[in-house]
Amino acid sequence: MQHRVVALVGRGQEMYPVTCASAVFGYHGTEIPQHYTFRLCAERPGLLPTTIGADILVGAGLEALATADTILIAGWCHGPRISPELGDAVLAAHTRGARIVAVCSGVFVPASLGLLDGRRAAVHWELVDELARHYPRVRADATVLYVDHGDLATAGASATTVDLCLNQVRREHGAALAMRIGRQLSAAPHREGGQRQFPALPTTGPVPDSLAPLLDWIITNLDRPLTLHDMAAESGMSPRTLNRHFAEQLGTSPGRWLLDRRLASTRAMLEETDLPVETIAKRVGLSSAVNLRRRFRDALATTPAAYRREFRA
């Protein structure tokens, strides 16, 4: 059975996160397996105004949440004013096992239901103070892109929706499918939840250029034994400056980012090919099967062989 994703929308709906989610969970043609369905519902169905200046017609009401496997709540909840009917429907869905995904101001729904008490949540920096006033038990984090607890995930900014949805696909159906969908959407290389919501700006001098061209170059050259000096030379920066830009813009180091990409490619090859581990190690730049197995176990607490068996099953 396909996984049912339902976006709970409201008046003044921001459409960007909704369309991002539908792009990830929607139809991708005959070449990509269809594991999800996507639909909209609203507390009060009918014509709803949106922030793009056009209304949307929503036919389903809160009853749609009773059969949802994932509920997306994005961008229309202005503070803690959540009706009892809406709260009861979301809480009932979560209690029976539905996953809740709250983006931007959607975080107020799970917070009002106590689902985030004592838990860390990615929150847009403009909402941190208001959330803290009403729900002080929520551990709001305005620095990261998203936080995924499995049953409940939060993203601080609308632009993070694709990353968060692809993360769900990767958790449920593997890195290979998530990478294929991401490539079809022309999405940027996968961003981990711990990356920063926005880069720190320098106090003097020009704003640093985007790291995107360098990241694309790294992915194209994963099979090479890349060093910090190689990456610095390609970017036209000194190693020290490159380290600083990675820390400011991605919240990680060049070496850590490179290793994460190599492990993601390893997972995709284990899922989709019968290549020996030694061959995969060379293709992703980890040099040997021994090194790949060690890195893989450290990161995922399992072996490449066990991982392959799990996804082949």
Side-chain angles (χ1 to χ4, degrees), residues 91-119:
L91 187 58
H94 180 266
T95 299
R96 65 167 174 77
R99 171 177 161 89
I100 310 299
V101 177
V103 178
C104 201
S105 60
V107 72
F108 284 105
V109 174
S112 69
L113 300 174
L115 299 179
L116 284 170
D117 286 358
R119 305 174 87 179

Side-chain angles (χ1 to χ4, degrees), residues 2 16 23 32 38 42 59 80 84-85 127 145 157 192 197 203 209 218 227 247 272 282 304:
Q2 291 179 324
Y16 182 70
I32 297 180
F38 186 86
E85 294 78 14
L127 302 177
L145 293 178
E192 300 292 344
Q197 284 191 30
T203 55
D209 292 337
I218 291 172
T227 67
E272 291 198 321
K282 289 182 169 58

Side-chain angles (χ1 to χ4, degrees), residues 276-290:
V277 172
E278 186 73 38
T279 302
I280 294 176
K282 289 182 169 58
R283 290 194 178 186
V284 302
L286 288 174
S287 71
S288 70
V290 172

Side-chain angles (χ1 to χ4, degrees), residues 20 68 89 140:
C20 284

Side-chain angles (χ1 to χ4, degrees), residues 3 28 32 56 71 125 179 187 220 226 233 258 267 269 281 289-290:
H3 185 109
H28 297 283
I32 297 180
I56 55 172
I71 299 171
W125 62 271
M179 291 171 70
T220 303
L226 300 175
L258 173 61
R267 292 168 67 178
M269 290 187 197
V290 172

Side-chain angles (χ1 to χ4, degrees), residues 30 54 62 66 86 110 133 159 194 199:
T30 58
L62 293 178
L86 189 152
R133 283 198 303 272

Side-chain angles (χ1 to χ4, degrees), residues 4 6 39 63-70 93 96:
R4 296 170 294 247
V6 177
R39 66 184 300 201
E63 71 279 356
L65 302 185
T67 56
D69 299 303
T70 291
R96 65 167 174 77

